[in-house]
Amino acid sequence: MVRKVYMVSGGVSKFTKARKDKTFQAIVKEAYDYTVSNLKIPRKEIHQRIEATTASYFSDHFTRQLMAGIMVQDYLGLIPKPSKRIEGGGATGGLNFQTAYESIASERFGLVLAYGFETMSHVNTWKGNEFIALASDVSFDYPVGGFYSGYYAQMCVRHMYEFGTTVEQLAYVSIKNHRNAMFNPYAQKSGRLTVQDVRKAQMVAWPLTRLDICVMSDGAAAVLLADEDTAFELTDTPIEITGVGTGTDAMRMADRPHKDVLLLPHEKTEDYIGERFVGGKLNYPGIHSFRAGRMAAIEAYKNAKITDPLKQIDFAEVHDAYTSSELQTIEDLGFCKYGESGKFTEEGNTFMPGIDYGLDLPKQGTIPVNPSGGLIACGHPVGATGLMQAVFAFWQLQGTIKKHFVAAGMSEEKASVLQLNNPKRGLIHSHAGTGTYVTVSILERPKDVEIVDQ
Amino acid sequence: MAIKKDPNAKLPEDWRNMPGTVVFNLPFPKEWEDDDLKGMQPIIIRFDYSISYHHSYGQDSPWFAAIANGELIGTKCPECGFTTANPKLACQECGAETKWVKLPKEGKLHSFTVCYFGAEKFLDETPYILGLIELEGVDTLLLTRILGLDPNEPSLDWIGMKMKAKFRKLSQLNPTDVYFVPAED
Ligand SMILES: [Zn+2]
């Protein structure tokens, strides 16, 4: 049995299109300073007590700098402590979070800082897309018209064909996440949108428009993880990491097989047999589902003893670089059955309770997905994203959303809108290109820890 | 032993061959406080970077030689039978060494998209259609360019259409040496 691991603090630099005022090291420093400034022990002492770090950033092309990780370590003043770089495409941040977890669970270290960053503004948007496309097979996929939006669009089209998912249902995800972000001072963009706004936006890769797709960002995030004794010494409201899971799949999405569904505890083989499926049985994962996401969920749920995710999880921060990937993901996570995410979303299940979205949502608030606004609205500085999700989930479970959002300049009234009522368990989900690496981590407020200012 | 000196050493005179951008007359105050310098606007330089790779297709090379000659081949696992359209000389299902097999040149459209934007390299080619082809007896799909359909009228009705492989007359030794068009019935 591994020992218990807790998250004790986190910080995020505000993600923006371009941070020309600072180098990546100094942007990470902002997230780090915030992380070590909110604890029971003075920052100077925590700085000394950090035993090791883990660093995540995705692309060496964006920085035009190899070994960028050590430059951050040295700028933060954490040399000569142990550190290493973690990389796995869009899941880089989530993998980093889990690496820091493992280093404490294994008893190698007791207090570990995980930091991540990406500065994507140093090249133009289309060159940036080219760099990202280099994260597809450069012999077989990239030369055919390498463009990640084009890859996800094909997955989305197949989801529509297999399950009858509509472009309006995709638009609901965009409306929800952009609207949630209006109450998150850290979000890169936000707004009240209608289905028409999303559909009338410029078409990028049919059927995905500009408002179905996240943008490039510069930003950093950091989290501090600790063993139990250290955690309670540093804060009265540590959040336990009760489960981690990771999955993988073929780099070329064309290589994904068509087999049987990997079932979660609450699913049955018969759920995926019948005339409503093309060919009488759901062929899995194909390109409509992310098998890596399902693998990650199976492992994380087993560790966290989750057998009925919809009932046992209070909210989730998931990868929504594309509206379609949020739909595909909530199926992988078992919030609804495969094929039902469009309807599940349209009914309002994944929306925040108590926010007016200008939509008729009969089942609003069952399991809020991306309360923060997700990647679509908060931005996706790849190496930081998975850690940003951890920070928002951590604040949510602590009950400190309001405190942190006010500190970031938001009015008291607006700053508490995204705080859920007494959430106990949250899920974070980080995902790399077309579902190659996926991580799922479960965060939970310990039973004897009271939520902060409710 | 005496240290050898080079009295003729000098910096390159031709500033045009120096990396980065040379800015003339960048102001710097004679008198300054810490805050003055911390309030300075960032200096942004341009840096060009280009490189030619000698990229080997390695064990996958026969696949490119085949499409350059109007043939489609893939790999099949002798142990579990798993067959792929893009080559994998080690089976992704069981790890055994696979064998090269001929593939049919006709198939069905499994999914597609129309790209109205793309990576910088492909921007000039927009709008273009990407598609995934199902081939009889093959367990995986083939990512390819689709020609012969109107990129301005994308429709889910395209899925399931019979498609046939066409091959570029002058090979570029790229996976785009093969592309698919609707097959006449
Ligand atoms: Zn095999």
Side-chain angles (χ1 to χ4, degrees), chain A residues 144-145 147-157 199 202-210 213, chain B residues 109 111-118 122 125-132 143-156 158:
Chain A
V144 179
F147 185 34
Y148 255 101
S149 300
Y151 302 155
Y152 279 86
Q154 292 173 83
M155 300 185 126
C156 174
V157 163
R199 294 315 302 162
Q202 208 164 23
M203 190 62 74
V204 176
W206 191 83
L208 301 174
T209 73
R210 259 182 205 270
I213 303 175
Chain B
L109 189 61
S111 192
F112 69 93
T113 185
V114 183
C115 294
Y116 298 91
F117 292 90
F122 306 106
E125 301 169 28
T126 58
Y128 57 87
I129 305 171
L130 292 178
L132 288 155
L143 177 70
T144 187
R145 287 281 185 103
I146 304 292
L147 268 68
L149 287 168
D150 184 356
N152 297 310
E153 297 284 333
S155 159
L156 286 184
W158 290 0

Side-chain angles (χ1 to χ4, degrees), chain A residues 32 47-56 69-74 76-86 96 99-100 103-104 106-115 223-224:
Chain A
Y32 171 66
H47 185 84
Q48 274 160 7
R49 283 181 56 179
I50 289 172
E51 291 169 42
T53 73
T54 51
S56 56
I70 194 62
M71 293 170 76
V72 176
Q73 181 81 352
D74 130 8
L76 295 182
L78 291 167
I79 42 172
K81 299 178 190 198
S83 186
K84 69 179 128 192
R85 177 202 185 169
I86 308 300
N96 185 10
T99 303
S103 71
I104 292 168
S106 66
E107 301 189 18
R108 182 175 175 198
F109 301 118
L111 185 61
V112 175
L113 176 80
Y115 54 78
V223 305
L224 198 55

Side-chain angles (χ1 to χ4, degrees), chain A residues 15-35:
Chain A
F15 296 172
T16 59
K17 187 172 164 46
R19 283 291 302 269
K20 298 293 187 197
D21 61 319
K22 287 188 179 176
T23 61
F24 58 87
Q25 304 97 303
I27 302 172
V28 178
K29 182 76 159 60
E30 288 178 9
Y32 171 66
D33 283 343
Y34 198 84
T35 302

Side-chain angles (χ1 to χ4, degrees), chain B residues 77 79-82 91 93-96:
Chain B
C77 175
E79 306 214 348
C80 75
F82 196 79
C91 176
E93 298 299 303
C94 76

Side-chain angles (χ1 to χ4, degrees), chain B residues 17-46:
Chain B
N17 289 331
M18 292 172 72
T21 302
V22 174
V23 180
F24 295 101
N25 301 323
L26 186 71
F28 190 77
K30 283 210 162 54
E31 305 285 327
W32 51 267
E33 301 288 331
D34 184 60
D35 280 351
D36 297 329
L37 298 193
K38 285 180 179 161
M40 181 181 166
Q41 288 297 306
I43 298 171
I44 299 162
I45 62 157
R46 182 178 147 152

Side-chain angles (χ1 to χ4, degrees), chain A residues 60-229:
Chain A
D60 297 309
H61 297 64
F62 278 116
T63 40
R64 192 181 51 79
Q65 172 69 63
L66 304 187
M67 300 273 282
I70 194 62
M71 293 170 76
V72 176
Q73 181 81 352
D74 130 8
Y75 194 89
L76 295 182
L78 291 167
I79 42 172
K81 299 178 190 198
S83 186
K84 69 179 128 192
R85 177 202 185 169
I86 308 300
E87 192 277 321
T92 292
L95 289 165
N96 185 10
F97 184 81
Q98 297 189 344
T99 303
Y101 163 92
E102 288 155 7
S103 71
I104 292 168
S106 66
E107 301 189 18
R108 182 175 175 198
F109 301 118
L111 185 61
V112 175
L113 176 80
Y115 54 78
F117 67 91
E118 210 76 42
T119 46
M120 308 172 80
S121 70
H122 297 197
V123 295
N124 74 56
T125 299
W126 306 114
K127 183 54 92 180
N129 269 289
E130 198 170 300
F131 287 168
I132 293 167
L134 289 171
S136 63
D137 188 321
V138 297
S139 291
F140 293 94
D141 288 356
Y142 172 76
V144 179
F147 185 34
Y148 255 101
S149 300
Y151 302 155
Y152 279 86
Q154 292 173 83
M155 300 185 126
C156 174
V157 163
R158 190 65 195 186
H159 199 278
M160 292 163 72
Y161 179 81
E162 293 265 347
F163 307 125
T165 311
T166 66
V167 292
E168 289 75 20
Q169 291 167 340
L170 298 176
Y172 270 51
V173 174
S174 180
I175 294 168
K176 167 173 67 70
N177 295 354
H178 281 98
R179 176 79 173 126
N180 291 352
M182 289 176 77
F183 306 100
N184 180 355
Y186 286 94
Q188 184 167 346
K189 66 205 245 294
S190 63
R192 281 196 86 134
L193 302 174
T194 63
V195 170
Q196 243 199 351
D197 291 333
V198 181
R199 294 315 302 162
K200 289 258 166 79
Q202 208 164 23
M203 190 62 74
V204 176
W206 191 83
L208 301 174
T209 73
R210 259 182 205 270
L211 290 173
D212 284 304
I213 303 175
C214 72
V215 291
M216 308 261 178
S217 312
D218 285 358
V223 305
L224 198 55
L225 306 188
D227 63 71
E228 187 162 276
D229 290 345

Side-chain angles (χ1 to χ4, degrees), chain A residues 269-392:
Chain A
T269 310
E270 305 88 78
D271 293 343
Y272 299 112
I273 295 170
E275 281 177 17
R276 63 189 182 285
F277 299 108
V278 177
K281 162 187 161 292
L282 183 59
N283 282 310
Y284 185 85
I287 57 163
H288 48 75
S289 300
F290 302 122
R291 184 169 54 162
R294 178 49 70 96
M295 278 298 288
I298 290 171
E299 186 193 353
Y301 291 176
K302 185 171 169 249
N303 292 336
K305 298 180 178 59
I306 293 170
T307 50
D308 187 353
L310 191 57
K311 288 218 179 73
Q312 293 172 274
I313 295 167
D314 297 313
F315 70 93
E317 293 285 347
V318 311
H319 180 91
D320 63 332
Y322 303 91
T323 51
S324 48
S325 61
E326 179 174 312
L327 293 188
Q328 291 166 285
T329 291
I330 60 175
E331 295 173 358
D332 299 329
L333 298 175
F335 296 173
C336 59
K337 296 267 158 54
Y338 276 114
E340 292 175 0
S341 60
K343 183 162 158 276
F344 189 76
T345 299
E346 198 172 30
E347 290 171 344
N349 292 291
T350 56
F351 286 68
M352 286 289 287
I355 293 180
D356 175 18
Y357 294 91
L359 298 167
D360 180 28
L361 304 168
K363 295 187 180 170
Q364 184 169 353
T366 313
I367 182 163
V369 173
N370 287 322
S372 68
L375 284 53
I376 277 201
C378 291
H380 185 19
V382 186
T385 306
L387 298 176
M388 163 197 79
Q389 294 172 316
V391 175
F392 290 140

